[in-house]
């Protein structure tokens, strides 16, 4: 158990819908990262938040957004869902920066029908 | 940006065999991690090793930062070692992201 929690574990929804994925970092960690794992793209970095502020963006679509709340939990919002958004979404946390070891949550498996 | 390449892509072993997985990266790194993704999809941290050598039971890892590669050694493999092994690197040019390789799929049979 990495100490990073993600909910829900599985999510099945239809095209055009909007979903919210939730992540709680390890106790004491200030950074939260979101990654997407798909069969064709592999594991890709989406976005990084540090202590409530956005620090870096990767290959995140405009239909996707995220935020980190004062209690340091984070949410990833995916809207206008397409079939191609079906993937495993991971949240990771680290103490401060990317120099520190990142620990991954169990992931949320999203299926868009 | 930084490129991370892993080899071999696939590895099939008998229980008890030893193996070496390689990770090459194209630039200097400030973070290098090895993960095992189990059949349930969970990413398990194996090593945080931007440089040097570490050992944890039957697993060990070495990163030679100046030559831009890292090696993961698995000794006396067990069926529970099966899964996908990922190397991921962090570098200043990549911002704060971990850049993942495509992974090595290991199958250990009894």
């Amino acid at each position: 158990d990495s100490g990073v929690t993600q909910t829900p574990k599985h999510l099945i929804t239809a095209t055009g819908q909007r979903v919210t994925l939730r992540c709680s970092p390890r106790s004491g960690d200030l950074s939260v990262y979101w990654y997407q794992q798909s069969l064709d793209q592999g594991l890709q970095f989406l976005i990084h938040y540090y202590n409530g502020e956005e620090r870096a963006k990767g290959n995140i679509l405009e239909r996707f957004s995220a935020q980190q709340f004062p209690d340091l939990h984070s949410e990833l919002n995916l809207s206008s869902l397409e079939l191609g958004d079906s993937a495993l979404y991971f949240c990771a946390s680290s103490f401060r920066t990317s120099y520190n070891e990142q620990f991954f949550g169990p992931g949320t498996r999203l299926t868009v029908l | 940006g930084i490129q991370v390449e892993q080899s071999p892509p696939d590895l099939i072993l008998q229980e008890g065999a030893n193996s070496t997985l390689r990770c090459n990266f194209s630039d200097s790194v400030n973070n290098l991690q090895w993960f095992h993704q189990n059949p349930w999809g969970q990413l398990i941290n194996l090593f945080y090793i931007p440089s040097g050598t570490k050992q944890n039971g039957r697993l060990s890892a070495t990163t030679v930062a100046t030559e831009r590669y890292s090696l993961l050694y698995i000794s006396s493999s067990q069926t529970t070692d099966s899964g996908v092994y990922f190397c991921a690197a962090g570098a200043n040019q990549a911002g704060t992201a971990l850049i993942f390789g495509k992974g090595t799929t290991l199958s250990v049979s009894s």
Side-chain angles (χ1 to χ4, degrees), chain A residues 35 37 48 98-99 101-102, chain B residues 31 33 37 45 48 96 98:
Chain A
Y35 291 84
Q37 185 177 29
H48 168 209
S98 59
Y99 285 70
E101 186 174 4
Q102 294 186 27
Chain B
N31 185 344
Q33 294 186 231
Q37 188 166 37
N45 286 46
Y48 168 74
T96 61
L98 277 180

Side-chain angles (χ1 to χ4, degrees), chain B:
Chain B
I2 187 171
Q3 307 293 319
V4 179
E5 293 182 357
Q6 293 186 241
S7 60
D10 301 283
L11 195 51
I12 300 173
L13 299 175
Q14 289 275 52
E15 213 168 15
N18 302 329
S19 59
T20 301
L21 282 58
R22 187 176 179 103
C23 172
N24 292 333
F25 41 92
S26 60
D27 205 343
S28 57
V29 298
N30 53 46
N31 185 344
L32 195 292
Q33 294 186 231
W34 283 96
F35 298 90
H36 174 215
Q37 188 166 37
N38 63 23
W40 296 272
Q42 197 168 5
L43 279 171
I44 311 295
N45 286 46
L46 297 178
F47 294 101
Y48 168 74
I49 188 164
S51 64
T53 297
K54 290 185 178 180
Q55 179 154 10
N56 184 2
R58 296 181 296 104
L59 272 58
S60 63
T62 295
T63 296
V64 183
T66 52
E67 297 187 24
R68 299 183 183 168
Y69 72 88
S70 183
L71 301 173
L72 177 69
Y73 305 96
I74 305 174
S75 64
S76 304
S77 56
Q78 301 175 357
T79 56
T80 51
D81 294 332
S82 297
V84 184
Y85 290 79
F86 288 103
C87 165
N92 287 337
Q93 62 162 293
T96 61
L98 277 180
I99 306 301
F100 281 78
K102 293 187 188 303
T104 293
T105 300
L106 174 65
S107 300
V108 181
S109 58
S110 57

Side-chain angles (χ1 to χ4, degrees), chain A residues 57-82:
Chain A
K57 268 186 173 179
N59 296 322
I60 187 165
L61 299 171
E62 285 192 13
R63 301 183 284 108
F64 296 1
S65 64
Q67 52 184 332
Q68 186 179 28
F69 294 87
D71 67 352
L72 300 177
H73 91 272
S74 177
E75 292 181 357
L76 180 67
N77 300 298
L78 315 177
S79 62
S80 302
L81 285 167
E82 302 175 0

